[in-house]
Amino acid sequence: MAAWLLRKSSSFAGDRRGTVAMIFGLMSFAFLMVAGVAIDYGRIIHMNKRMMNAADAAALAAGGALLDGRLNDDEIELLAQNYFNKNMEQAGSSFGSYSEPEVTVDRVGGDIVIASVATVPMSITKIAGFTEVRMPVNVATSFDQQDVELGLALDVTGSMRGTKLTDLKNAAKDLIDILMPDSGQSNRVRIGLAPYAASINAGSYAETVTGHSGGHNCVHERTGAERFTDAAPIGINMLKRRDSMSCPSTTVQALTDNKSLLKSSIDSYSASGRTAGHLGAAWAWYLISPAWNAIWPSSGRPVEYGTNNTTKAVILMTDGIFNQWYESTNGSSEAQARAVCADMKSKGVAVYSVAFQAPSTAQALLQDCSSGSSFYYSAENGEELRQAFTEIAKTLNNLRLTN
């Protein structure tokens, strides 16, 4: 047995093939490279995700500033760079470095582009000659340049006196500045105004929509099968008129792209009277309804429903309960408002609603009237009201990320 073991040992010692050792060595190197690739790939993915998140935040912030219209191009670029760098710092430790982001502002096209390059040094894969990976990151915000037809139903009732009315004026003018920037825009934006209190002051349109000449310009709801629709005020579908009614001093304003006219009209608002909110909702709809084209001047005539590249929307704002109505057979002001809102939404109109220091009953109504939870806003002070109108304006401009 000892002799046999000796012979086998001599034979093994003399074997020069080294197959096992060679295979083991190659496999070890392969395993090491696979592990190295996995580790470095993870570092690349981590860095890329951080860069994309920072660029997204910067692009959205810059896009919002562009929509807001109060910063020049240099200020927007600095804002975007600060957002990018701050987000990268807050993300913690990094596996690489990055270049200072380049920011491109295109006011005509409505675009913001954020560009940066990340450099990630390799670890184990350096063995294979890969020293670093460079990753360009490009993120943009873009506006879906839809034309906009917007009717504003603004509460100018007695409860809005003082600071609240001033807050409303500022918020409405902010919205106009965003939708109609002084630098111009590539889409067509027209806005109509329907200030309401106990009724609507139809001004020069009163005779046409009621069929009565002379007297007061205050109008209220109609009766009949079309009372909650946007049917043209012809024949039995004419609106009602009473000389004894109290209505806002400011008349309705047909759709216009005259920014100065809109802002001066809003500045002239005064507050008095009760709250016939259903009339505000109806007239905001009439302003953007093609069924009313025979009523409005040629420059203020809305396009047809379903027109490509056109958004039709209304904003219904109040600080209180709808408590004034005239035709009892139609139901209360709240009931009529719900019916009007339902009808206009069925025509594809986007209904935004804003409750300003409003009681719970009014908030519930505005939530029902809106086109959904993301279309409803509740504001408890002037700054929140301005923010609500700003967010609506940005939504109408349809700010979005394009990677």
Side-chain angles (χ1 to χ4, degrees):
M1 177 64 72
W4 182 82
L5 288 174
L6 181 61
R7 288 196 303 273
K8 289 296 183 183
S9 298
S10 299
S11 175
F12 182 81
D15 192 340
R16 296 292 186 268
R17 290 174 295 173
T19 304
V20 175
M22 185 180 298
I23 291 176
F24 179 77
L26 291 173
M27 289 181 65
S28 296
F29 181 76
F31 287 141
L32 181 63
M33 289 304 300
V34 169
V37 168
I39 292 172
D40 286 337
Y41 180 73
R43 288 157 57 93
I44 293 169
I45 293 299
H46 176 78
M47 189 66 177
N48 183 69
K49 183 176 181 180
R50 288 183 56 186
M51 292 277 287
M52 291 297 296
N53 288 342
D56 285 349
L60 287 172
L66 182 61
L67 282 174
D68 186 65
R70 286 177 282 192
L71 299 183
N72 61 37
D73 289 2
D74 290 339
E75 291 170 330
I76 291 175
E77 289 178 19
L78 180 60
L79 174 71
Q81 290 170 346
N82 288 340
Y83 261 81
F84 182 91
N85 292 327
K86 188 68 174 177
N87 274 271
M88 289 299 291
E89 292 169 6
Q90 290 177 343
S93 59
S94 173
F95 291 117
S97 59
Y98 58 90
S99 63
E100 185 71 10
E102 295 182 4
V103 183
T104 303
V105 179
D106 180 4
R107 288 186 179 271
V108 176
D111 299 319
I112 299 285
V113 179
I114 311 292
S116 180
V117 177
T119 302
V120 181
M122 298 293 95
S123 56
I124 298 175
T125 48
K126 284 182 178 179
I127 299 173
F130 299 102
T131 58
E132 65 180 25
V133 170
R134 291 170 58 83
M135 297 180 298
V137 172
N138 288 274
V139 170
T141 57
S142 180
F143 309 128
D144 186 3
Q145 294 295 314
Q146 294 264 321
D147 291 342
V148 176
E149 294 180 350
L150 175 65
L152 300 182
L154 303 178
D155 185 340
V156 292
T157 57
S159 60
M160 288 290 295
R161 288 191 187 98
T163 302
K164 291 172 75 174
L165 185 59
T166 299
D167 290 337
L168 173 59
K169 291 178 180 180
N170 290 334
K173 289 187 291 185
D174 283 350
L175 175 137
I176 291 169
D177 282 333
I178 293 171
L179 291 175
M180 299 177 172
D182 291 334
S183 58
Q185 72 275 0
S186 60
N187 59 332
R188 186 188 190 196
V189 176
R190 291 184 296 165
I191 299 174
L193 304 174
Y196 69 91
S199 61
I200 291 285
N201 188 338
S204 60
Y205 306 111
E207 179 179 347
T208 305
V209 300
T210 64
H212 296 286
S213 60
H216 214 290
N217 292 328
C218 294
V219 301
H220 63 92
E221 68 266 20
R222 56 190 170 191
T223 57
E226 303 290 348
R227 60 193 182 279
F228 304 133
T229 75
D230 63 336
I234 301 172
I236 61 174
N237 292 324
M238 285 186 173
L239 279 73
K240 302 298 181 68
R241 180 179 187 178
R242 294 180 186 176
D243 290 347
S244 61
M245 291 162 53
S246 173
C247 63
S249 58
T250 307
T251 64
V252 295
Q253 169 60 55
L255 289 178
T256 180
D257 58 6
N258 188 325
K259 181 177 179 179
S260 297
L261 174 61
L262 290 167
K263 296 178 91 171
S264 63
S265 295
I266 291 170
D267 279 331
S268 71
Y269 288 175
S270 59
S272 65
R274 291 165 64 83
T275 311
H278 64 294
L279 297 179
W283 277 81
W285 184 14
Y286 299 159
L287 290 170
I288 63 170
S289 169
W292 279 56
N293 277 346
I295 307 299
W296 307 126
S298 58
S299 61
R301 291 171 185 166
V303 299
E304 294 297 322
Y305 291 121
T307 298
N308 288 336
N309 206 43
T310 299
T311 295
K312 287 181 179 285
V314 304
I315 299 176
L316 177 57
M317 171 270 158
T318 190
D319 75 330
I321 298 171
F322 292 178
N323 55 23
Q324 181 66 52
W325 65 97
Y326 299 90
E327 301 299 331
S328 58
T329 56
N330 290 355
S332 68
S333 178
E334 288 193 358
Q336 293 186 58
R338 283 187 167 89
V340 168
C341 289
D343 272 4
M344 76 169 104
K345 286 187 288 188
S346 72
K347 294 287 184 69
V349 175
V351 180
Y352 295 87
S353 60
V354 182
F356 183 30
Q357 298 180 16
S360 58
T361 303
Q363 292 183 38
L365 169 61
L366 292 180
Q367 289 174 344
D368 288 346
C369 261
S370 73
S371 293
S373 58
S374 62
F375 292 76
Y376 167 74
Y377 298 82
S378 179
E380 292 302 321
N381 54 55
E383 184 56 36
E384 289 183 2
L385 184 66
R386 296 182 76 169
Q387 185 62 33
F389 274 71
T390 296
E391 289 300 320
I392 293 172
K394 291 179 179 179
T395 301
L396 289 170
N397 269 336
N398 203 4
L399 179 64
R400 58 187 172 84
L401 284 172
T402 54
N403 294 326

